[in-house]
């Protein structure tokens, strides 16, 4: 307790010193939980075009607590994070402020930003289905199909408690209610080829090994595997699978998660931060997002990496992510209730 109190005091004291010099006509301070290598090329391009220097502070854990401790003296102008749940958590903690921008509203679909301008998606990763090229002939599936007994002993998936999956389950709750979602979880659990766990790339690995035939994973991992960025072994994993862009049974679209940004409540360089936000939805920046991590741009018409483009046209589920987020706690509880990870 004493140690935590001293840590908070030290952070607050340092924020006063940093905050005193934080406002500058040619700077913007970004607190990010994203790996710097993925976003630094975008910031460098922004600086080259605008003359505004981007100071990047990588915060691996405890971003909200750090900013809350810094308070009004925080030098943070912009938060850059992965997962819309993390963005909404920052909003709920009162650490952000709204941005009204015609540029942002024109580029980003309404379902992928806060209705009050408190947060914005900047790139997407789709929750897709991997299938064996050798053993599966289906070219279209719904998420609900994964609970069909025809797939008994043939499904691989990571932990149901992982945010990627609680988000998917939360979307099902938002659409059809908790009872339907519980039945779906029980059906998928009955079809598992192995205990739920590992990572998304392990799904492709296990399909190649013949352990399972289908699985749920994120789209961008396919780019990382097939490109060789994950190592030569993973090229074979990526080449062993086909990618299906599923919908729920309503046919509305594919479930996505996002990386995004929010303007800090006490941003000392507010105008520069808004300029950076607007740059990040430009054609140039959206192309860089697509190239850096095989993500989908949020801006319609922005070019895709060829590997991602090979999956087909992505139709995004229009259910607002704010509505999905409201059910994530219930989704987590359902995972435990059905013993999905046991």
């Amino acid at each position: 307790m004493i140690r935590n109190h001293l840590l908070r005091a030290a952070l607050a004291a340092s924020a006063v010193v940093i905050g005193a010099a934080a406002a500058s006509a040619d700077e913007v301070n970004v607190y990010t939980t994203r790996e710097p290598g993925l976003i630094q090329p975008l910031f460098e391009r922004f600086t080259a075009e605008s003359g505004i220097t981007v100071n990047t502070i990588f915060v691996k854990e405890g971003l909200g607590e750090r900013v809350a401790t810094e308070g009004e003296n925080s030098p943070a102008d912009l938060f850059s994070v992965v997962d819309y749940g993390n963005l909404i958590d920052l909003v709920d903690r009162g650490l952000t402020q709204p941005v009204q921008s015609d540029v942002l509203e024109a580029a980003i679909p309404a379902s992928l930003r806060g209705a009050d301008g408190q947060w914005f998606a900047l790139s997407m990763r789709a929750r897709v289905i991997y299938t064996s090229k050798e053993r599966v002939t289906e070219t279209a599936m719904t998420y609900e199909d994964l609970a069909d007994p025809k797939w008994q002993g043939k499904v691989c998936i990571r932990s149901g408690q992982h945010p990627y999956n609680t988000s998917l389950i939360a979307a099902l709750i938002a659409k059809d209610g908790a009872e339907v979602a519980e039945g779906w979880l029980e059906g998928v659990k009955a079809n598992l080829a192995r205990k739920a766990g590992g990572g998304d790339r392990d799904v492709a690995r296990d399909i190649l090994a013949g352990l399972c035939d289908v699985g749920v994973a994120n789209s961008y991992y396919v780019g990382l595997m097939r490109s060789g960025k994950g190592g030569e072994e993973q090229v074979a994993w990526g080449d062993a699978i086909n990618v299906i862009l599923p919908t729920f049974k309503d046919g509305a679209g594919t479930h996505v998660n996002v990386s995004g940004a929010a303007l800090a409540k006490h941003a000392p360089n507010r105008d520069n931060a808004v300029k950076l936000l607007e740059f990040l939805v430009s054609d140039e920046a959206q192309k860089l997002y697509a190239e850096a991590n095989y993500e989908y741009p949020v801006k319609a018409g922005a070019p895709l990496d060829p590997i991602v483009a090979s999956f087909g046209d992505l139709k995004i589920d229009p259910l607002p992510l704010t509505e999905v987020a409201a059910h994530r706690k219930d989704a987590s509880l359902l995972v435990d209730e059905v013993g999905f990870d046991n």
Side-chain angles (χ1 to χ4, degrees):
M1 181 70 71
I2 294 175
R3 180 180 178 183
N4 289 340
H5 175 74
L6 291 173
L7 176 59
R8 286 193 292 270
L11 282 171
S14 65
V16 172
V17 176
I18 297 171
S24 171
D26 58 358
E27 290 188 343
V28 60
N29 303 313
V30 179
Y31 279 23
T32 180
T33 61
R34 299 210 72 185
E35 290 296 332
L38 295 177
I39 55 176
Q40 200 59 39
L42 289 94
F43 295 160
E44 290 173 356
R45 190 69 59 89
F46 171 72
T47 297
E49 294 189 6
S50 68
I52 298 171
T53 298
V54 181
N55 302 313
T56 307
I57 298 90
F58 179 57
V59 184
K60 186 174 183 180
E61 296 178 349
L63 173 60
E65 182 177 350
R66 172 171 176 166
V67 176
T69 300
E70 291 174 348
E72 295 183 9
N73 294 309
S74 176
D77 293 307
L78 200 66
F79 305 125
S80 172
V81 302
V82 174
D83 191 310
Y84 65 89
N86 292 327
L87 286 165
I88 293 172
D89 285 345
L90 291 170
V91 174
D92 290 344
R93 294 187 67 164
L95 301 175
T96 64
Q97 61 173 297
V99 176
Q100 301 302 320
S101 165
D102 292 342
V103 172
L104 295 172
E105 291 179 10
I108 305 171
S111 62
L112 302 180
R113 50 184 164 86
D116 54 359
Q118 294 275 5
W119 63 272
F120 300 90
L122 299 173
S123 65
M124 303 178 294
R125 56 280 303 276
R127 200 71 179 143
V128 302
I129 292 177
Y130 295 174
T131 65
S132 168
K133 284 183 176 179
E134 294 184 351
R135 300 181 300 277
V136 177
T137 59
E138 280 84 352
T139 58
M141 292 177 64
T142 67
Y143 295 110
E144 286 87 349
D145 287 339
L146 294 165
D148 189 318
K150 71 176 287 184
W151 299 113
Q152 186 173 5
K154 297 180 179 180
V155 176
C156 285
I157 193 170
R158 74 191 306 161
S159 167
Q161 289 292 5
H162 191 279
Y164 294 159
N165 286 332
T166 54
S167 179
L168 179 64
I169 299 161
L172 186 58
I173 294 173
K175 288 173 177 287
D176 295 322
E179 186 175 347
V180 169
E182 182 175 7
W184 180 79
L185 276 170
E186 290 173 342
V188 176
K189 178 177 171 60
N191 288 343
L192 293 180
R194 57 161 171 78
K195 183 178 179 180
D200 280 3
R201 278 180 270 199
D202 294 333
V203 173
R205 178 200 65 190
D206 291 345
I207 288 175
L208 173 62
L211 182 61
C212 46
D213 289 349
V214 299
V216 182
N218 271 0
S219 54
Y220 73 99
Y221 287 114
V222 183
L224 294 173
M225 290 185 290
R226 290 182 182 173
S227 68
K229 286 187 177 180
E232 190 167 336
E233 181 183 31
Q234 293 186 17
V235 174
W237 303 354
D239 287 343
I241 60 171
N242 285 318
V243 176
I244 292 176
L245 299 175
T247 68
F248 295 94
K249 66 181 181 182
D250 61 11
T254 300
H255 181 66
V256 299
N257 206 320
V258 304
S259 67
L263 184 65
K265 183 177 182 179
H266 303 293
N269 302 292
R270 188 185 193 281
D271 290 347
N272 289 348
V274 173
K275 289 178 182 177
L276 175 55
L277 261 177
E278 293 180 341
F279 169 79
L280 292 175
V281 296
S282 67
D283 290 342
E284 180 181 17
Q286 289 287 289
K287 181 176 183 291
L288 288 172
Y289 266 119
E291 293 172 347
N293 201 40
Y294 305 96
E295 294 178 297
Y296 284 96
V298 294
K299 187 175 184 179
L304 299 174
D305 179 89
I307 294 175
V308 177
S310 72
F311 306 157
D313 294 332
L314 174 66
K315 180 183 177 183
I316 306 165
D317 188 352
L319 182 67
L321 292 181
T322 48
E323 292 186 28
V324 178
H327 297 284
R328 291 182 83 167
K329 182 176 180 180
D330 291 336
S332 177
L333 291 173
L334 277 183
V335 170
D336 285 343
E337 285 178 13
V338 304
F340 190 83
D341 290 347
N342 296 343

